[in-house]
Amino acid sequence: MNDAKMLTVIDGPMLAAAFPVQHQPAAMLAGLEAARLLAPQQWTERFAVRVESETVLIPARLRFASQRLALTESDEAWCFARALQTRSNDGFERQRATRDLLKDLRPWAAPFVVALIGEYIVEILEDISAAMTPEVERTVGGFITHNAAFWNTTKCRMTSYWNVYYRSNRSSECRRAWARDEYVGFELVDRLEAAAYGTSN
């Protein structure tokens, strides 16, 4: 599911490829704005997922020199730019951007949220869990049903990060430990699989 090529030069059209074609006017503007904010040195891969019946290519990580968008919330492109900022190398910015996306989660934004479930910042997982209305669950569940391989990879990553960082206090990175049945990542997986498949693990 990955675009194996390591990218070192990233531009607006490349970033706009993270969104379905029907959104391209706003996506291109968002891509150009996000590219303007990138640090000169970049290295990332992209992952491919199916969204709105087409394949999109989403950057694994983006290194921003600045997070300050010239766009405002009233601009159609703003939410697309915020989606790209969920791929920031800055975890605090990933969290802020995710909160913005979750206020009105669109189907094209679902892969950006799902990707974060497979990452290590538990506070972002808690934000996603807190935003889980039935409508959000349906939106993300619909994405999962069309991206089973990506979802399975995400679940494996979430489990690995829990095991390393949050399973016990032996890790120097761990602020507290959670048993498997207490950890928000597993709760999210169960809720989203119930939404996608009508069952839970």
Side-chain angles (χ1 to χ4, degrees):
M1 295 286 284
N2 281 354
D3 177 7
K5 183 179 178 182
M6 182 63 73
L7 303 171
T8 56
V9 178
I10 301 171
D11 60 15
M14 190 177 294
L15 294 176
F19 306 101
V21 170
Q22 67 172 311
H23 305 293
Q24 280 307 290
M28 183 63 74
L29 184 56
L32 291 169
E33 175 64 7
R36 181 184 69 79
L37 300 177
L38 292 175
Q41 291 190 319
Q42 294 290 320
W43 53 94
T44 193
E45 296 175 328
R46 294 187 290 181
F47 58 89
V49 290
R50 295 288 292 173
V51 179
E52 297 178 354
S53 302
E54 64 183 273
T55 300
V56 298
L57 296 170
I58 298 175
R61 190 66 76 223
L62 295 171
R63 287 151 186 85
F64 288 94
S66 170
Q67 307 287 351
R68 303 179 88 174
L69 295 170
L71 301 166
T72 66
E73 289 188 48
S74 62
D75 294 315
E76 184 183 1
W78 180 82
C79 54
F80 292 90
R82 292 305 276 156
L84 292 169
Q85 288 179 311
T86 67
R87 311 314 305 144
S88 173
N89 61 314
D90 179 333
F92 292 108
E93 184 55 29
R94 288 202 300 279
Q95 184 177 28
R96 287 189 292 269
T98 302
R99 287 174 175 172
D100 286 337
L101 280 190
L102 289 167
K103 290 175 186 174
D104 182 20
L105 188 68
R106 312 288 175 81
W108 57 259
F112 293 90
V113 172
V114 171
L116 291 159
I117 294 171
E119 296 185 5
Y120 64 91
I121 299 179
V122 69
E123 291 85 359
I124 295 178
L125 299 185
E126 290 169 343
D127 286 346
I128 295 170
S129 179
M132 279 292 131
T133 63
E135 184 177 335
V136 170
E137 289 177 2
R138 281 192 299 274
T139 298
V140 177
F143 168 77
I144 288 168
T145 60
H146 294 98
N147 293 277
F150 178 70
W151 177 239
N152 287 333
T153 298
T154 299
K155 291 192 296 181
C156 289
R157 287 176 176 159
M158 182 276 298
T159 302
S160 294
Y161 282 123
W162 165 74
N163 187 53
V164 171
Y165 293 111
Y166 301 112
R167 186 175 184 176
S168 77
N169 288 319
R170 71 179 180 270
S171 168
S172 62
E173 299 289 325
C174 187
R175 287 168 283 180
R176 68 162 281 196
W178 282 277
R180 184 184 177 99
D181 63 354
E182 298 174 323
Y183 186 62
V184 64
F186 294 107
E187 175 197 342
L188 270 172
V189 165
D190 286 347
R191 290 175 72 178
L192 292 173
E193 292 204 325
Y197 306 119
T199 59
S200 62
N201 291 342

